[in-house]
Amino acid sequence: MTQPSSSTLPVVAVRDAQRAAARSNPGGAGRRRTRRGHRSPGASIALHATLLVATFVAVFPIAWIALASFKPSGEVGKLGLPTSPTLENYSSLLGTTDFTRWFANSVICALFTMLIGIAMSATAGYAISRFNFPGKRSLMWTFLVTQMFPVSILIVPIYTIMSALGLINTHISLVIAYCTIAVPFCTWMLKGYFDSIPGELDEAAHVDGLGPFGTFWRVILPLARPGLAVTAFYTFLTAWGEVAYASAFLNTDDKYTLAYGLQILVPRPPALPHWDLLTAAAVLITIPAAIVFFFAQKHLVAGLTAGSTKG
């Protein structure tokens, strides 16, 4: 019988020792794995208590507003379930204010901001990701630097530009202003997402006869649905809840958006706000955002994490 060489004797000895230890203590590795993943009862209770507190803090304001919207005006500030639920707050809001007009104006501004923002962010992000051109690095830095300025600083120069173009008190001015907020961030995000799509797909499309735009439209965009969903959600919310530009650019009731029009329900002191109407409006305002989130939610996680690593 062939004897192991002297060079393999230490390896064989170590292997035999490991096997003997495993036979003598067969449950040792399993117990080590159990101990490593084991959580004590106290730690488990503390974890679940923290999760319950965090859930309560997040859900309570929303639940309180939703319940208060069904209470009579005299009970809005009280905790608990409504004693006599009523839809009077909703009927008063829709019947005595211009809520429906403000709602329509907000929907128009948000939809156009979303569509234009997606188009500009997707094309710019794809160009930056795939092509080398003069000023590419400067363009990327420009997109990044614009995010460093607060809205309060940008209102004056943008207002001056809109006034020179004759766009004050129009919804077009709001759409342009909202795109200046959303497009730079979304371009950076989509650029990272396009970087994660293999460039070999572009080469294969070119071999099949597609040009740059055909490749982008027919090959890349279908693969970029998660990133586009995040872009759509972000641009919609940017326009839906914005109030600074709306208060600066709009000056007639028929042009107000929701965020600015609802300020009418908060009169100057010593008069008290119309909490009954505000709670009903708060519930109705969440409906469009919830609809957009419903259609985009299955892509949100993939879209937010894509681009964090390349390859």
Side-chain angles (χ1 to χ4, degrees), residues 199-211 214-216 218-220:
E200 289 79 3
L201 294 177
D202 301 61
E203 299 174 1
H206 294 163
V207 171
D208 291 340
L210 292 178
T215 302
F216 169 72
R218 301 180 61 180
V219 177
I220 302 301

Side-chain angles (χ1 to χ4, degrees), residues 224-296:
R225 282 194 299 267
L228 296 177
V230 176
T231 301
F233 189 62
Y234 177 80
T235 52
F236 185 89
L237 290 185
T238 297
W240 186 250
E242 202 280 330
V243 66
Y245 286 119
S247 62
F249 297 166
L250 304 179
N251 49 43
T252 58
D253 292 349
D254 61 322
K255 299 294 184 179
Y256 287 168
T257 58
L258 277 173
Y260 185 57
L262 290 180
Q263 293 185 10
I264 297 176
L265 303 180
V266 186
R268 295 182 179 275
L272 296 177
H274 302 283
W275 294 116
D276 50 343
L277 302 182
L278 286 173
T279 54
V283 174
L284 295 178
I285 286 175
T286 61
I287 294 177
I291 293 175
V292 174
F293 177 79
F294 175 78
F295 287 105

Side-chain angles (χ1 to χ4, degrees), residues 79-302:
L79 295 176
L81 299 175
T83 56
S84 54
T86 179
L87 296 176
E88 182 180 354
N89 297 336
Y90 292 92
S91 61
S92 298
L93 176 69
L94 300 176
T96 62
T97 67
D98 291 329
F99 180 85
T100 54
R101 179 178 297 175
W102 304 335
F103 191 93
N105 293 340
S106 292
V107 169
I108 292 172
C109 292
L111 286 180
F112 275 97
T113 301
M114 182 177 68
L115 295 176
I116 296 174
I118 291 175
M120 296 180 67
S121 301
T123 52
Y126 179 73
I128 294 173
S129 174
R130 289 297 196 265
F131 304 110
N132 291 318
F133 51 88
K136 173 181 176 179
R137 182 174 295 274
S138 300
L139 179 62
M140 295 175 64
W141 276 107
T142 301
F143 284 153
L144 185 62
V145 169
T146 55
Q147 301 298 295
M148 301 179 183
F149 295 96
V151 173
S152 58
I153 294 178
L154 298 176
I155 284 181
V156 173
I158 293 179
Y159 182 92
T160 303
I161 295 173
M162 297 302 169
S163 179
L165 296 175
L167 297 178
I168 295 299
N169 200 37
T170 65
H171 294 147
I172 298 176
S173 63
L174 289 183
V175 173
I176 296 174
Y178 296 156
C179 286
T180 63
I181 300 174
V183 169
F185 172 78
C186 293
T187 299
W188 266 97
M189 182 179 62
L190 286 177
K191 186 263 182 189
Y193 192 90
F194 290 138
D195 286 344
S196 66
I197 299 178
E200 289 79 3
L201 294 177
D202 301 61
E203 299 174 1
H206 294 163
V207 171
D208 291 340
L210 292 178
F213 182 78
T215 302
F216 169 72
W217 182 259
R218 301 180 61 180
V219 177
I220 302 301
L221 277 187
L223 298 176
R225 282 194 299 267
L228 296 177
V230 176
T231 301
F233 189 62
Y234 177 80
T235 52
F236 185 89
L237 290 185
T238 297
W240 186 250
E242 202 280 330
V243 66
Y245 286 119
S247 62
F249 297 166
L250 304 179
N251 49 43
T252 58
D253 292 349
D254 61 322
K255 299 294 184 179
Y256 287 168
T257 58
L258 277 173
Y260 185 57
L262 290 180
Q263 293 185 10
I264 297 176
L265 303 180
V266 186
R268 295 182 179 275
L272 296 177
H274 302 283
W275 294 116
D276 50 343
L277 302 182
L278 286 173
T279 54
V283 174
L284 295 178
I285 286 175
T286 61
I287 294 177
I291 293 175
V292 174
F293 177 79
F294 175 78
F295 287 105
Q297 55 89 20
K298 65 179 180 180
H299 298 299
L300 286 180
V301 174

